[in-house]
Amino acid sequence: MRVGLLGLGRIGAFHAATLAAHPLVDELIVADPVRTSPYGRPGDPFESDAVVIATPTGTHAELIIRACERGVPAFCEKPVAGTVADTVKVLEAAQGHRVQIGFQRRFDPGYVAAARALRTGELGTLHRVHLITADPAPPPAEYIATSGGIFRDCHIHDFDILRWVTGREVASVYAAGANRGAAFFAAAGDVDNSAALLTLDDGTLATLQGSRYNGAGYDVRMELAGTERTQVVGLGPRAPLHTTEGSPSGEDPWPDFVTRFGTAYRREIDGFLRAEESLCSIEDALEALFVAEAADLSLRERRPVEVAEVRR
C-alpha cells in the first residue's frame, strides 16, 4: 500500500522509519514544511491508501477532517483537537470513516499483559490503581504555553490507559498541583508537579502522580492491586528507581518516551495498517479528554469534580 505521513518532528521521524520498514508499505509519501526525511518521497500524502498525522496539535482537527473528506483512513497522534468542542466537531465529521488516535500505551506489552491478567481474573477483584508519569526534564516554555496543561498534555495518556486496562469509566476527579521549577509553568497557568484521586464508576480508587522534573529519568508505571494479586507495569530494570533494600540494576534508566515506548509505537502503526476498524477511536480520545477537563477544573477550583460536569 501507499502511505502518506504528515510531520517529521521527533515522533514523525520515528513513524517514517517504522513505515518505511513495514512489509505492507510499498511507497511512503512524506510532507513537512521544513524537514526532510531519508525515507519516502515528497508529495501529496492524501493521495494514498492511508495517512499518518504527526503534525503540531493545532493542525490535527483540520487534517483528520481532510482525510475523511478524501476517504482515506487516518492515524493521528493525540490529541484530536485542543478543546472538547472541537473534538466533538471532528467526531461528527468523521462518522463512517476509520480514524485511529495515537494512545500508544494500549500497544505496550506490559499494559497488554496487565489488562489480560485483570480480565481473566488472575488479579481477583480490583481494589485500587496507582499511575505515575514523570518526565526527566520539562519541555520548552513555548510548548508549555500552548500545551493545554499537564492533565490534557501529559496525563491524558494515564486517563486513557486507566479506562482501557480496567474497562471502567472515571466518575470523579480531585486534582492538585504545585510549581517547583521554572516560572514559565505558572505564567502559562500550568503546574510542573501533579497529583489526583480518581474514583471509577464501580467505586474503585485510582491515584495519580506526575512531574516535569523527574531527574532520575523517564518514569511511567501502573500498579493494579486486586484481591488475589498485584500487577505492576513499568517496574523493569530500566525504571529510574533506587531502593534502600538493595542495589539498583545498574542499567541506564529510560531517557524519554520514544525510547520507552518504541515497541508500542511500532505495534500501533502495525495495528492501524492491518485493522479494518479503529483500535483507539475518536470517542476514546474524547472520553480521556473529559477526564482531563475535570482534572483541570478540579485543580483550578480546588474541589472534587464529577466528570459529568464537563460533558456537553
Side-chain angles (χ1 to χ4, degrees), residues 34-52:
V34 295
R35 303 177 183 90
T36 59
S37 171
Y39 307 104
R41 66 170 178 83
D44 182 356
F46 294 102
E47 292 184 353
S48 303
D49 301 301
V51 295
V52 173

Side-chain angles (χ1 to χ4, degrees), residues 22-264:
H22 198 282
L24 293 182
V25 178
D26 301 309
E27 185 178 13
L28 178 62
I29 300 173
V30 296
D32 188 291
V34 295
R35 303 177 183 90
T36 59
S37 171
Y39 307 104
R41 66 170 178 83
D44 182 356
F46 294 102
E47 292 184 353
S48 303
D49 301 301
V51 295
V52 173
I53 301 168
T55 52
T57 293
T59 64
H60 289 183
E62 175 190 352
L63 294 175
I64 292 172
I65 292 172
R66 188 184 304 177
C68 294
E69 291 173 343
R70 298 280 288 269
V72 181
F75 172 93
C76 184
E77 288 295 336
K78 69 86 184 168
V80 174
T83 67
V84 167
D86 286 341
T87 302
V88 171
K89 289 179 183 178
V90 177
L91 175 61
E92 293 171 347
Q95 291 300 311
H97 299 276
R98 184 160 70 91
V99 179
Q100 181 173 322
I101 306 303
F103 284 99
Q104 84 284 351
R105 294 187 195 182
R106 294 177 176 221
F107 300 85
D108 177 77
Y111 289 101
V112 171
R116 185 183 304 116
L118 180 60
R119 291 166 189 171
T120 58
E122 295 176 40
L123 306 188
T125 301
L126 184 65
H127 277 186
R128 55 186 172 80
V129 183
H130 184 57
L131 303 116
I132 295 175
T133 295
D135 295 321
E142 57 270 21
Y143 176 85
I144 292 299
T146 60
S147 69
I150 196 168
F151 292 111
R152 294 186 192 88
D153 173 57
C154 176
H155 289 309
I156 199 163
H157 283 286
D158 296 293
F159 303 145
D160 177 73
I161 204 62
L162 177 62
R163 294 182 62 249
W164 187 77
V165 169
T166 65
R168 312 301 310 192
E169 298 295 345
V170 177
S172 66
V173 184
Y174 196 179
N179 291 104
R180 306 301 303 275
F184 61 75
F185 285 98
D190 198 4
V191 295
D192 54 45
N193 282 268
S194 52
L197 171 65
L198 303 99
T199 303
L200 305 188
D201 57 7
D202 66 346
T204 301
L205 298 178
T207 51
L208 169 73
Q209 293 180 347
S211 178
R212 299 289 197 179
Y213 285 98
N214 198 60
Y218 185 65
D219 191 7
V220 173
R221 283 177 278 138
M222 183 181 200
E223 178 183 303
L224 299 131
T227 54
E228 298 296 324
R229 197 173 82 188
T230 297
Q231 188 100 6
V232 182
V233 181
L235 199 60
R238 298 192 70 179
L241 302 172
H242 286 71
T243 171
T244 57
E245 284 77 24
S247 299
S249 68
E251 293 191 31
D252 291 336
W254 298 110
D256 52 47
F257 66 92
V258 176
T259 309
R260 165 64 179 85
F261 287 111
T263 296

